[in-house]
Amino acid sequence: MMNGLLLASLILLSLAILGSLFRLLAGPSIPDRIAALDTIGILLLAMIAVIGMLLRTTAYFDIVLLIGILAFIGTTAFARYIERGVVLESGDDREHH
């Protein structure tokens, strides 16, 4: 019973990733694409956690944590790039604002 539910959730998560992948490729705007990329990252976290539960191991939970951190940093960097046009500012850039 539990394995069937976990397999069903993997199928639904896969479909959600495909939908987000379409939004990532089709746009229409850059913020939409960034939101889709963030959504894909979160869905991958969920898929890996479900796979870990399905296999009854905690070995994948470190990967979940790593992907979570990378997804957060990536989304923050993209948002900063949209807002200011650069990801990392040098000292000269701060004086002009």
Side-chain angles (χ1 to χ4, degrees):
M1 175 74 178
M2 189 67 174
N3 285 344
L5 290 174
L6 291 174
L7 287 174
S9 67
L10 281 177
I11 292 169
L12 292 175
L13 288 168
S14 300
L15 292 175
I17 286 177
L18 286 177
S20 297
L21 193 61
F22 173 74
R23 178 57 55 198
L24 177 68
L25 296 175
S29 66
I30 292 176
D32 290 333
R33 292 177 181 195
I34 292 171
L37 190 63
D38 192 44
T39 303
I40 289 171
I42 298 300
L43 291 171
L44 281 175
L45 287 176
M47 282 187 77
I48 293 171
V50 169
I51 290 171
M53 288 189 292
L54 193 61
L55 298 177
R56 298 180 192 274
T57 180
T58 58
Y60 295 109
F61 292 155
D62 293 336
I63 297 170
V64 169
L65 182 63
L66 180 66
I67 290 176
I69 291 170
L70 290 176
F72 174 74
I73 291 172
T75 302
T76 304
F78 279 127
R80 189 174 180 113
Y81 180 74
I82 287 174
E83 180 182 83
R84 297 186 182 178
V86 295
V87 175
L88 298 174
E89 293 181 1
S90 65
D92 297 337
D93 293 337
R94 291 183 188 147
E95 295 174 1
H96 297 292
H97 291 278

